[in-house]
Amino acid sequence: MRTRDVMLAVVVAAVWGLNFVVIAVGLDTMPPLLFVALRFGACAIPAVFFVGRPTVPLRWIVAVAMSLAVVKFSLLFAGMAAGMPAGVSALVLQSQAVFSAALAFVLLRERPTARAVLGLVLAAGGLVLVGFGSSVGPLSGFVLVVCAGAAWGVANVAMRKAAATDLLNFMVWVSVVATPVLIVLSLAVEGPSVVWTEVRSLSLVAVGAVAYVAYLSTLFAFGVWAALLRRYGAATVAPFAMLAPVFALVSAAILLGERLTGTELAGGGAVLVGVLLGAGRRRAAGTVAVLGGEEVSACVDGSRGDHAAATSPRSGGPTGPARIRATAGRPAA
């Protein structure tokens, strides 16, 4: 990769990692479901007027909107609002790798390699260690974030089936579908009076948090990531995703004063190593996480040339095996 593109990939990972700190700050100013609704509303408008018509069937947009935007992010934000620290949340969310592999085996008949199984076992063991850490916070928050990882696994399978090649277009339309549902959910759970009061009294900190998670962490980061994937392929680009939890932990320590115990550090290291092992070269597509509340589905098969050709505007869209490889390294939210 060119030096400039390496720097861009690192910047995207940093944006996604810092996203957890921004979420934590935003949750101090507004309730979690309203925060999620505002985030996806800001992603949808005005971008929907510029990205064109959806490029994948509506059923897959709806499936990803429900599993990812509505369920996954609502659970993640609720878990952090319940007391889960930002840095630890970044690690625990990696449980998606375990759920994604299990769902791919059951629903897509993908058989993981021995290396992938070893990685998933290591990641699961690391999550157990993190769960026993003293800084994790209330058990309810931990469980909510693990459930968010499970919802992310469902979304990964739906995204694989969607096989979207225009990532920005896909994410914007997912946001369009999810926003009304999230507004209704916020009104039903948090109450109309609370929602109305919070919206009327949004502080500059709240507006800044929404702007960051919508425009920087979603639209900007997706655009840059998609461009890098078209240029180099998932095998080259996807590993940069694993810098995101590192940035999340470092930024949470510096900006929020969070500290991990030795047990949590050991568990977090096991999670990261396990995910990297599970994302190694395999026969079928798998998943690699991108943190900061964002994610990437990745088929790490070394198919740089085929991936670039499959996603080229001149190719008329991917077909056959090229269509499968074109889903590599695809951000999910």
Side-chain angles (χ1 to χ4, degrees), residues 99-110:
F99 292 112
S100 295
L103 289 168
F105 176 76
V106 173
L107 300 178
L108 304 180
R109 298 293 187 265
E110 289 184 1

Side-chain angles (χ1 to χ4, degrees), residues 13 57 65 74 102 110 142 155 164 190 203 228 250 274 280 292 297 319 323 333:
S74 294
E110 289 184 1
F142 179 80
E190 294 161 344
S203 65
L228 292 174
V250 172
S297 298
T319 58
R323 175 181 174 87

Side-chain angles (χ1 to χ4, degrees), residues 23-93:
I23 291 171
V25 172
L27 288 171
D28 288 336
T29 68
M30 61 188 130
L33 298 180
L34 176 61
F35 192 178
V36 180
L38 291 174
R39 175 249 175 98
F40 283 101
C43 287
I45 298 175
V48 69
F49 299 112
F50 301 98
V51 298
R53 297 171 62 85
T55 57
V56 301
L58 179 61
R59 65 181 181 275
W60 296 120
I61 293 176
V62 172
V64 174
M66 295 302 104
S67 58
L68 183 73
V70 175
V71 179
K72 181 252 183 176
F73 278 101
S74 294
L75 291 171
L76 171 63
F77 281 42
M80 293 181 66
M84 272 288 284
V88 177
S89 296
L91 290 175
V92 173
L93 201 59

Side-chain angles (χ1 to χ4, degrees), residues 16 19 23 33-44 69 72-73 76-77 171 175 179 182 209-215 217-219 222 292-295 333:
W16 276 325
N19 197 46
I23 291 171
L33 298 180
L34 176 61
F35 192 178
V36 180
L38 291 174
R39 175 249 175 98
F40 283 101
C43 287
K72 181 252 183 176
F73 278 101
L76 171 63
F77 281 42
M171 189 60 233
S175 301
T179 299
L182 287 164
V210 171
Y212 184 98
V213 299
Y215 300 126
S217 187
T218 303
L219 299 181
F222 273 109
E294 313 305 324
E295 55 283 326

